[in-house]
Amino acid sequence: PTLAKALAACKKNSKCKAVVRRSDNKYFLSSKSISTKTKKSNYKIYKKGSSAVASGGYSYSTMENYVYGGLDKTVHKTIDAAGAACAKKSTCTGIVKVGKGKYQIATGSEIKKGTGKTLYVKGGKDYTSRDIYFGAEMWTAKAPYTLSGTKAETKTYKDRDNAMRHCLANTACNGVTLTGGKYTLYKSSTTTEKDGSVSWIRRGDILASDGYFWDKQKGKTLTGYYDSTKYTTLAKATAACAKATSCKGVTKEETKKYRTNTGSTFSTNNGRTAWRQEDPFVLHSGTYFTKLSGKKLSNIQTKKAYASEAKAAAACAKVPRTCTGFVLKSKKYYLTKGWTLYTDADYTAFIRNHEKVVNVEYTTMYGGYSYSVKGPFMHDPTKFGKTAYTTSSKCMAACNKSAKCKGCSYFGKKQKYYTSTDSKVYLGGGKDKAFTKGGKSVVNNSYIFETKASGTKIKGDYLDSTTYTSLGKAMEACAKKTGCTGFTKTGKNKYRLGKTSTVETKKGMQAYMKGSTVTAYHLKLWPHMSDMVITGQGKTALKTKKKAMIACSKNAKCKGVNKVGGKYYQATGDGYTVKSGGEAWVKGSSYTPSFTYDNTVWYYKDGYKTSGDIGFGTTSYTSKDKAMYWCVRNPICNSVHYTNKKYHLRSGTKVTEAENDKAWTYGTSKVDFTKVALPVAGGMWNPRPGYKLGSPLEKKKTYKTLPLAAKACLGHPKCSGIMYTTKTKTYTIHGSDQVSSGKGYIAYPKKYVCDGNCKVTKKGKVLSIDLKYCFKVHRMEISNKANCCSKNTGKVVIKNGSKTCASLTMNGKTSAMKLDCASGAVGTKITMTFANIGDINLVGLGLVVEGSDAC
């Protein structure tokens, strides 16, 4: 090997103390501390020094008072200029500093004494890497490398920050390469060695904490425990890890359970999140700088020196288009203009990253469409609409009306919202926010689910092997599983859960994506964020989230609710702050959840109550479904109110605040009223909204309530129905049960047991009578033919529904049976089960009943 290769190898080997050239001109590394003098003939010793430099993409070992033979005639003013020339010349073996500001490159390999001169022996390429923060994402910059493969855009950019902003906006972009003064976006993150190039590769989520960057990976875990402590917050865990040399990261294993790790390799674990410790940083003037000892940036501006790190950082932050960072040498700080990072033991490099931003992401919904919110991002201002809106709701309402509209942006500098015809979002600043419109959506189990375009599926393999048979079951399952990103309808009544965040084209399928968690309360949507609080937090603490949301709903200046230290506060700021263990609920748009049950649309209002008693029949239930079933079939009932563990039928639709109550009002219904039977005052009636009866029996007599009218009708031998007149809000009784269409009326024809024609059916030893409607039986009389029953003996059990009315014994001829149904059995069918049915032949049935809603 050549001397240059031997010196480079010695430099990399921490145990190497010197390079020895033997008489046969072969070079060996020595781990012993030896003198440069030797008695052996034709031996030469090159003692390892403490200093090394890098220039032109190559590392150089420094040797004082030595020179190379065969110097080039051209004299360069700086070592970087000489390094650039050496890099271009394949025969270059090093650089010699022949005087102050005088550097010459060498092509010889023989080292000679050179008093007062400095030899820089060319070694291998100077491969450097650093982690940086940009747009709240982690990037790794590598040199000398270019990205390879397909370009994400054909356009090139003149400065790094602008190129990275466009890369963030492009879902296909995975990195940026600087070559020849131009920045190019690439789809691939694969690197290829190339002199003079620097590449920035996207890594994903980042945490900047405790003086280090942390690579955040959801669904990953790190191995090996640094200690036995189970930390309750991420902040406590990273603080402990940052202080320990052997700690390499943190893993969140469960809620409020964080462990510090010694392993630095990620492995898959869907239920966990891991943070790996990366490069150190400093934060000055709101801008991050990666701090690396023994490194320097290219193009150092030596004309002006700064006395402190903070002053240099402030100066750099003011000119981000030209300043790439600064370096420290001999207690002085100098700004830099080059992005190439070199190894140099005499320097410490501070590489400019990007301004600190609080990356805000959540999903909200307006008018049935989902909106993905991201800040501090916004859509391209050149694609904004002309109209400026004062609220996000007004902007989203306008966007929903236009098929061309792709979302809304809040332009922080103008404090206005604008519609956008482009769905791409670009990194902005300050309070900027982008609301990107998605598909039709629903809220289920505290998540927003967005319907994607027809003919799509969630990309990749399914989360598990389970197939769900309904949309509701799939949403419920996905909401409960941490790794679920949504689900795909793969066929009729077939739904499979997904685990990636992108969709792909698949004919005959339909993808649904899971958004962020939300709370639907007090007629608003409240998107939720963890480890985050809204700025402008008030001083008054509230005991419950619901109390805070009610107060915030009434406060026009309130932007959301924070939870800090177990207490809840209103917040009025437009910004956000990272707060470990904190939670925030953003006050979203007005929202009333709705769903369909029993062919009826219901509107759910959490935190509210309705009023107005029905005044008859069963008015409260322990089951919401039963309450809704009877409410929609009762024209007087307009809502269901939950309080004190019961669901109450209510006549009112107006809601008033009640923190822990719930109310449901109904809208359109497809219930077939021709099949409805409503028990009132002991009778059974068929309510027919939009229908009327003929002339009333009592021309001047009206009734204020349905129970009063029903009682009067049951007491009148000619009465066959009741009619309600909406205009006068009164009831009248009628002699006919024939209905005709009539707007503003509700007819209640009387219904009779068995529709007035009871028939007996026989099956084996059981006789049955279909009552048609739900009745409570008080007494019954059953008549047989006079010449029957001679062959019947033993017991007969008589039931209404599932409950026994009586159990009698028959012995020989029995012409009639009279009995009281003391149990008050309720049902729609009477059955008589005989021990020995013999020649029973029923000819008559007498019943004393009252209508019931208990079936």
Side-chain angles (χ1 to χ4, degrees):
T2 64
L3 173 62
K5 288 182 179 179
L7 290 171
C10 187
K11 177 188 169 185
K12 292 179 181 180
N13 191 328
S14 59
K15 294 182 179 180
C16 180
K17 304 295 184 182
V19 172
V20 179
R21 190 197 70 189
R22 292 192 320 198
S23 57
D24 57 0
N25 287 326
K26 290 183 179 180
Y27 296 89
F28 294 88
L29 306 187
S30 174
S31 60
K32 296 180 180 179
S33 296
I34 55 178
S35 170
T36 56
K37 294 180 181 180
T38 177
K39 294 180 180 180
K40 293 183 178 182
S41 59
N42 294 322
Y43 269 69
K44 186 77 175 177
I45 298 173
Y46 302 93
K47 193 173 181 179
K48 187 177 181 180
S50 59
S51 118
V53 298
S55 181
Y58 288 85
S59 62
Y60 291 81
S61 298
T62 306
M63 300 180 69
E64 301 292 343
N65 299 313
Y66 283 95
V67 297
Y68 259 144
L71 296 182
D72 190 270
K73 292 181 179 180
T74 304
V75 178
H76 304 275
K77 293 182 179 181
T78 66
I79 190 171
D80 284 344
C86 186
K88 292 177 182 178
K89 195 165 187 177
S90 60
T91 57
C92 178
T93 55
I95 302 169
V96 176
K97 181 181 180 181
V98 296
K100 186 178 181 180
K102 294 180 179 180
Y103 298 86
Q104 292 173 267
I105 66 172
T107 55
S109 59
E110 183 67 29
I111 296 178
K112 301 177 181 179
K113 281 282 187 179
T115 305
K117 295 180 173 56
T118 303
L119 171 62
Y120 300 92
V121 180
K122 185 180 179 183
K125 288 187 178 179
D126 193 24
Y127 299 102
T128 60
S129 174
R130 74 268 192 178
D131 299 315
I132 71 160
Y133 171 109
F134 192 93
E137 281 194 20
M138 174 169 278
W139 303 64
T140 295
K142 291 185 175 184
Y145 291 100
T146 179
L147 293 171
S148 55
T150 308
K151 295 177 181 179
E153 288 184 15
T154 54
K155 183 180 178 180
T156 58
Y157 298 89
K158 294 181 179 180
D159 68 271
R160 184 205 68 168
D161 290 12
N162 195 27
M164 285 189 168
R165 283 191 180 93
H166 280 79
C167 186
L168 287 170
N170 189 337
T171 55
C173 181
N174 281 298
V176 174
T177 291
L178 167 64
T179 301
K182 293 180 180 180
Y183 296 83
T184 305
L185 277 55
Y186 284 89
K187 289 183 178 181
S188 173
S189 58
T190 302
T191 55
T192 302
E193 192 174 310
K194 186 173 183 179
D195 291 345
S197 291
V198 182
S199 292
W200 291 263
I201 303 159
R202 289 179 75 172
R203 296 264 298 280
D205 292 339
I206 188 173
L207 171 68
S209 179
D210 303 289
Y212 288 92
F213 293 130
W214 305 78
D215 183 2
K216 179 183 177 182
Q217 295 288 332
K218 290 182 179 180
K220 300 290 182 181
T221 187
L222 294 172
T223 57
Y225 291 131
Y226 168 71
D227 57 27
S228 60
T229 306
K230 298 176 179 66
Y231 299 92
T232 56
T233 67
L234 176 62
K236 290 178 181 179
T238 54
C241 189
K243 294 175 183 177
T245 305
S246 58
C247 183
K248 304 301 180 183
V250 171
T251 298
K252 181 182 180 181
E253 296 182 346
E254 298 173 12
T255 302
K256 294 185 178 181
K257 183 183 175 183
Y258 297 83
R259 297 297 304 270
T260 51
N261 303 107
T262 55
S264 59
T265 303
F266 290 116
S267 57
T268 301
N269 190 314
N270 286 329
R272 295 184 176 186
T273 301
W275 292 262
R276 183 172 62 195
Q277 188 183 96
E278 304 290 354
D279 286 338
F281 72 85
V282 293
L283 179 64
H284 291 292
S285 302
T287 299
Y288 286 109
F289 293 84
T290 303
K291 181 182 177 180
L292 296 176
S293 299
K295 302 290 181 181
K296 71 176 183 181
L297 284 164
S298 58
N299 202 354
I300 301 171
Q301 306 299 295
T302 56
K303 288 184 179 181
K304 184 174 182 179
Y306 294 87
S308 71
E309 180 182 299
K311 287 181 179 179
C316 184
K318 288 179 181 178
V319 285
R321 282 186 173 274
T322 56
C323 183
T324 61
F326 57 96
V327 293
L328 167 64
K329 184 182 181 184
S330 302
K331 297 182 180 180
K332 291 183 179 181
Y333 297 86
Y334 303 91
L335 301 190
T336 59
K337 290 187 176 181
W339 287 118
T340 305
L341 187 68
Y342 295 125
T343 302
D344 195 322
D346 295 333
Y347 285 83
T348 297
F350 298 81
I351 305 103
R352 182 177 67 79
N353 291 193
H354 187 243
E355 65 184 40
K356 180 182 179 180
V357 298
V358 178
N359 199 12
V360 177
E361 289 189 58
Y362 61 87
T363 309
T364 189
M365 203 166 84
Y366 188 87
Y369 287 90
S370 70
Y371 281 84
S372 175
V373 184
K374 193 172 184 179
F377 288 77
M378 66 178 182
H379 301 95
D380 184 352
T382 63
K383 303 295 177 65
F384 283 180
K386 294 181 180 179
T387 306
Y389 298 93
T390 55
T391 67
S392 59
S393 295
K394 290 179 180 179
C395 186
M396 287 188 285
C399 189
N400 286 352
K401 294 176 182 178
S402 171
K404 293 181 179 181
C405 182
K406 304 300 182 183
C408 291
S409 278
Y410 178 70
F411 199 170
K413 290 182 179 179
K414 295 185 177 182
Q415 296 184 347
K416 300 289 182 184
Y417 294 86
Y418 297 87
T419 57
S420 173
T421 55
D422 185 17
S423 60
K424 275 188 180 181
V425 295
Y426 298 86
L427 181 64
K431 299 173 182 178
D432 295 341
K433 279 200 289 287
F435 298 70
T436 305
K437 186 168 73 172
K440 284 285 187 177
S441 302
V442 295
V443 176
N444 188 291
N445 282 277
S446 299
Y447 282 92
I448 292 176
F449 287 90
E450 178 198 350
T451 307
K452 305 302 284 188
S454 180
T456 58
K457 74 174 288 287
I458 295 177
K459 196 172 184 179
D461 294 333
Y462 296 113
L463 180 65
D464 54 34
S465 59
T466 306
T467 298
Y468 297 90
T469 56
S470 71
L471 183 68
K473 288 178 180 179
M475 283 192 281
E476 185 177 355
C478 188
K480 291 178 180 178
K481 296 198 176 187
T482 306
C484 182
T485 58
F487 54 91
T488 301
K489 183 180 181 181
T490 59
K492 187 177 180 181
N493 298 326
K494 291 181 180 180
Y495 299 84
R496 296 288 302 274
L497 304 187
K499 60 182 180 181
T500 65
S501 57
T502 55
V503 297
E504 60 186 355
T505 302
K506 192 71 174 179
K507 189 177 180 181
M509 293 192 180
Q510 176 74 68
Y512 299 80
M513 298 303 296
K514 182 170 79 170
S516 57
T517 55
V518 293
T519 296
Y521 184 73
H522 212 257
L523 303 184
K524 287 189 180 296
L525 269 185
W526 303 81
H528 174 250
M529 293 185 291
S530 298
D531 296 323
M532 190 88 67
V533 292
I534 304 166
T535 57
Q537 181 174 295
K539 295 181 179 180
T540 304
L542 296 155
K543 290 183 179 180
T544 68
K545 180 174 70 174
K546 289 182 176 180
K547 287 183 186 296
M549 287 179 173
I550 290 172
C552 186
S553 295
K554 296 177 180 178
N555 183 354
K557 293 182 179 180
C558 182
K559 301 299 173 63
V561 170
N562 290 338
K563 182 183 180 183
V564 179
K567 294 181 179 180
Y568 299 86
Y569 302 85
Q570 293 185 70
T572 57
D574 290 316
Y576 303 88
T577 303
V578 175
K579 177 80 173 177
S580 182
E583 294 181 76
W585 289 266
V586 181
K587 183 166 75 173
S589 57
S590 297
Y591 174 72
T592 303
S594 63
F595 60 93
T596 300
Y597 172 74
D598 188 29
N599 292 312
T600 304
V601 176
W602 289 89
Y603 299 97
Y604 173 47
K605 301 170 184 182
D606 194 0
Y608 289 90
K609 66 178 181 180
T610 51
S611 58
D613 292 329
I614 299 300
F616 64 91
T618 305
T619 59
S620 64
Y621 298 84
T622 56
S623 164
K624 180 184 71 177
D625 291 352
K626 276 192 176 181
M628 288 180 170
Y629 176 89
W630 283 109
C631 182
V632 78
R633 285 162 175 77
N634 186 339
I636 295 174
C637 184
N638 291 297
S639 61
V640 173
H641 168 216
Y642 177 77
T643 186
N644 297 323
K645 298 182 180 180
K646 284 193 175 182
Y647 299 86
H648 303 268
L649 307 190
R650 303 296 190 199
S651 60
T653 57
K654 185 178 179 181
V655 294
T656 54
E657 286 178 3
E659 181 184 342
N660 295 310
D661 288 7
K662 300 174 183 179
W664 293 265
T665 57
Y666 71 85
T668 57
S669 177
K670 295 181 180 179
V671 168
D672 184 359
F673 274 91
T674 63
K675 297 178 181 179
V676 174
L678 183 67
V680 185
M684 191 65 80
W685 315 85
N686 173 215
R688 302 294 301 279
Y691 287 86
K692 63 182 179 179
L693 298 173
S695 299
L697 286 171
E698 305 164 323
K699 291 185 178 181
K700 295 183 179 181
K701 182 69 175 176
T702 60
Y703 300 88
K704 290 183 178 181
T705 67
L706 179 59
L708 287 174
K711 188 176 180 180
C713 185
L714 291 172
H716 197 296
K718 293 184 179 180
C719 184
S720 296
I722 305 165
M723 186 176 76
Y724 176 73
T725 304
T726 306
K727 187 176 181 181
T728 60
K729 296 182 180 179
T730 58
Y731 295 86
T732 51
I733 63 174
H734 296 255
S736 171
D737 61 0
Q738 297 301 305
V739 299
S740 60
S741 180
K743 190 177 180 181
Y745 297 95
I746 303 174
Y748 293 86
K750 188 193 293 184
K751 306 305 290 184
Y752 301 91
V753 175
C754 313
D755 281 334
N757 184 21
C758 290
K759 294 181 178 179
V760 179
T761 59
K762 181 180 178 183
K763 187 175 182 181
K765 295 180 180 182
V766 181
L767 299 182
S768 303
I769 302 164
D770 186 359
L771 302 179
K772 298 292 186 184
Y773 309 105
C774 186
F775 287 98
K776 178 187 285 187
V777 176
H778 293 288
R779 287 189 301 278
M780 67 173 68
E781 182 177 336
I782 304 167
S783 301
N784 294 309
K785 275 190 176 182
N787 60 354
C788 84
C789 314
S790 59
K791 297 178 182 179
N792 181 276
T793 57
K795 284 187 178 181
V796 55
V797 179
I798 302 171
K799 291 184 178 182
N800 183 23
S802 60
K803 204 162 188 179
T804 300
C805 268
S807 182
L808 304 176
T809 300
M810 296 183 69
N811 188 9
K813 290 187 177 182
T814 304
S815 61
M817 289 184 291
K818 294 181 180 180
L819 57 104
D820 287 329
C821 194
S823 65
V826 175
T828 60
K829 181 189 286 188
I830 293 174
T831 59
M832 291 172 281
T833 305
F834 294 84
N836 179 15
I837 196 165
D839 55 352
I840 286 291
N841 189 0
L842 298 188
V843 293
L845 176 67
L847 296 172
V848 177
V849 299
E850 66 172 295
S852 175
D853 58 6
C855 293

